[in-house]
Amino acid sequence: MEKAVKQVIQQGRVPVKIWTDDVDSGAMEQLINMSKLPEGIVHQWIAVMPDVHWGMGATIGSVIPTIDAIVPAAVGVDIGCGMMAVETNLSSQDLPDSLREIRHSIERDIPLGAGGAHRNVPVDKFPWLDEALRSMSLTFSNLKGIGDKAKSKRWAQQMGTLGSGNHFIEICLDKEDRVWFMLHSGSRGIGNMIGMHFIAQAKKEMEKQGARLPDKNLSYFTKDSAKFAEYVNAIAWAQDYASENRKAMMASIVKNVKHAIPKLETRGENINCHHNYVSVERHYDKEVYVTRKGAIRARKGEMGIIPGSMGTRSYIVRGKGNPESFESCSHGAGRTMSRTAARKRFSEKDLAASMERIEYNHRKSIIDEIPSAYKDIDQVMAAQTDLVDIVHELRQVVSIKGD
């Protein structure tokens, strides 16, 4: 297997292995701080993917294996955020000359934006909700400060909704002109609520213990903490919610496109993968909690999705199971500038030029998602040839973003 690690930083208790030379100073500081966590917390090293950039709480693009401990801020607040992709039997020739009405139809059916929610959500519309109602009550009933809010209808109304920021829905074509549907979303408001609650609880717990950390955002729960089991149960629930949320939206996309193109059928196995989550795995003869913050699992033969920015290529990949990356790869292109900086630098005209021949909603509010605000996806892919093989290359013909 070819060697692709570009940098090994050794300024803490464990090394930081990085699959790129392109690391901003803020992200590098975060990574070094993470490597300074107390002895015995991080297993072996921290693996850093080529889409790495500074993130709230912890570095995006990092893979952190921990022993009997989890850092809630490393997981973040969009718990279970990830991708889903479905191949169809359609080709580009089956699509209408104008894709605007298909875009409008999807946008009418799937609420967009940070507060997006269905007005009325019958339980039978999303089968997973019925069981979730019961599990939610058990999972959150004893969580002080979150239980009552979690029992509200709001989280149920957000099942099957997109969210904001870089969350998106796309209709794509592969190199053989076959049509794919792809989307990016997570656990919506309830995941945010869970994340914020436990990040605050971890900080309180560290303060009580008098722990001296390089960054308070790296506060953690150890397995002997009463909060540890609560957090593990809550994030498992949120990760399931995120996965089901993507399935619900994909079903809506298929329904709306099938209405316009009745011959539509999906084929092959759907790909549904998290890239902000925790998983119990075995690496280097040790069972550990692997936190992937902006990274996907890439076990040998495992299928995954690495999207570029809106207006650029995306990739369906097959994992190589590289042990050095803890069987992980990048989750996308990775930002090169903040949203604020992108809004100051670029205009709606710039966005339109980069989205030529793609059907999208021309809105000023999505300028910060312009492709120029992201790394070159081809360079990101070239940096991880030892982590994944490319199976399909996709290009967008429809792009739908939340505000």
Side-chain angles (χ1 to χ4, degrees):
M1 184 176 287
E2 61 263 52
K3 185 77 171 177
V5 175
K6 299 294 184 181
Q7 300 184 61
V8 180
I9 308 300
Q10 296 185 324
Q11 296 186 29
R13 288 186 172 86
V14 297
V16 179
K17 297 189 177 185
I18 309 175
W19 267 254
T20 180
D21 291 322
D22 183 12
V23 186
D24 64 85
S25 59
M28 185 64 78
E29 181 180 0
Q30 285 184 320
L31 292 168
I32 291 171
N33 283 341
M34 198 180 299
S35 75
K36 294 178 180 178
L37 281 168
E39 192 75 33
I41 297 294
V42 179
H43 177 56
Q44 296 287 338
W45 53 77
I46 296 163
V48 183
M49 302 299 99
D51 57 341
V52 57
H53 58 285
W54 183 92
M56 185 65 70
T59 319
I60 297 170
S62 56
V63 182
I64 313 153
T66 49
I67 301 171
D68 295 336
I70 302 177
V71 180
V75 183
V77 297
D78 198 357
I79 302 167
C81 183
M83 298 290 303
M84 186 171 182
V86 173
E87 184 183 0
T88 78
N89 65 330
L90 302 180
S91 72
S92 60
Q93 294 179 341
D94 297 312
L95 298 176
D97 291 338
S98 173
L99 293 165
R100 182 164 299 178
E101 183 48 44
I102 287 178
R103 174 174 67 81
H104 284 169
S105 177
I106 294 170
E107 290 174 340
R108 286 192 295 266
D109 202 35
I110 299 176
L112 311 177
H118 295 278
R119 291 184 179 180
N120 297 295
V121 184
V123 169
D124 59 0
K125 181 175 182 180
F126 304 128
W128 185 81
L129 275 180
D130 189 39
E131 177 58 30
L133 285 166
R134 293 190 288 270
S135 68
M136 174 272 295
S137 179
L138 293 172
T139 301
F140 300 127
S141 59
N142 296 322
L143 298 189
K144 188 176 180 180
I146 193 173
D148 292 339
K149 290 181 180 178
K151 292 176 185 177
S152 73
K153 292 182 179 179
R154 185 65 175 175
W155 67 266
Q157 293 171 331
Q158 288 193 326
M159 174 63 70
T161 70
L162 185 64
S164 61
N166 60 357
H167 291 172
F168 63 79
I169 295 166
E170 292 180 346
I171 299 176
C172 304
L173 300 176
D174 65 18
K175 282 192 168 183
E176 286 72 42
D177 271 354
R178 291 173 298 202
V179 175
W180 289 68
F181 303 145
M182 187 166 69
L183 62 87
H184 173 209
S185 191
S187 52
R188 304 294 286 108
I190 188 62
N192 183 284
M193 191 182 300
I194 291 168
M196 294 293 288
H197 173 80
F198 283 102
I199 289 169
Q201 291 297 311
K203 289 177 180 178
K204 287 181 181 178
E205 193 156 299
M206 292 288 99
E207 288 173 6
K208 286 180 181 178
Q209 294 176 13
R212 300 180 67 180
L213 298 172
D215 181 348
K216 64 181 180 180
N217 284 317
L218 297 178
S219 297
Y220 55 88
F221 298 123
T222 54
K223 204 168 186 178
D224 57 4
S225 164
K227 296 290 182 183
F228 185 90
E230 288 183 355
Y231 183 55
V232 168
N233 289 336
I235 56 175
W237 187 93
Q239 288 168 191
D240 286 345
Y241 181 102
S243 180
E244 293 299 326
N245 184 41
R246 291 191 288 272
K247 290 178 186 177
M249 282 189 285
M250 188 60 75
S252 294
I253 296 165
V254 170
K255 178 193 72 175
N256 279 279
V257 178
K258 191 173 181 66
H259 180 76
I261 311 174
K263 68 177 285 187
L264 166 67
E265 299 291 342
T266 60
R267 66 186 192 185
E269 185 176 348
N270 297 346
I271 307 168
N272 191 351
C273 56
H274 298 315
H275 55 224
N276 284 354
Y277 74 112
V278 177
S279 177
V280 179
E281 301 173 14
R282 192 165 189 85
H283 294 281
Y284 294 96
D285 298 321
K286 188 77 174 179
E287 187 173 89
V288 293
Y289 292 88
V290 179
T291 297
R292 292 184 176 91
K293 170 88 165 182
I296 65 172
R297 192 171 62 196
R299 289 175 174 168
K300 187 173 180 61
E302 186 170 24
M303 301 299 289
I305 308 164
I306 303 178
S309 56
M310 63 186 289
T312 63
R313 288 175 294 280
S314 297
Y315 295 92
I316 305 298
V317 298
R318 182 181 293 113
K320 289 188 172 182
N322 189 325
E324 200 168 13
S325 71
F326 305 105
E327 299 180 316
S328 307
C329 67
S330 80
H331 83 310
R335 296 192 71 91
T336 58
M337 64 178 70
S338 70
R339 296 185 181 279
T340 300
R343 284 191 290 268
K344 289 180 179 179
R345 181 170 177 178
F346 300 108
S347 67
E348 289 180 78
K349 185 177 179 180
D350 295 325
L351 179 60
S354 63
M355 296 291 286
E356 189 177 4
R357 293 188 296 277
I358 299 173
E359 173 60 40
Y360 77 105
N361 190 335
H362 295 243
R363 305 194 312 276
K364 187 176 181 180
S365 60
I366 62 172
I367 287 175
D368 55 13
E369 282 295 301
I370 190 170
S372 300
Y374 283 81
K375 293 182 180 181
D376 184 329
I377 186 63
D378 292 326
Q379 292 180 9
V380 170
M381 296 306 298
Q384 56 185 331
T385 54
D386 65 329
L387 306 183
V388 292
D389 286 320
I390 294 171
V391 180
H392 297 288
E393 180 182 307
L394 308 181
R395 59 181 177 87
Q396 306 97 322
V397 292
V398 175
S399 178
I400 297 170
K401 305 285 289 192
D403 285 328

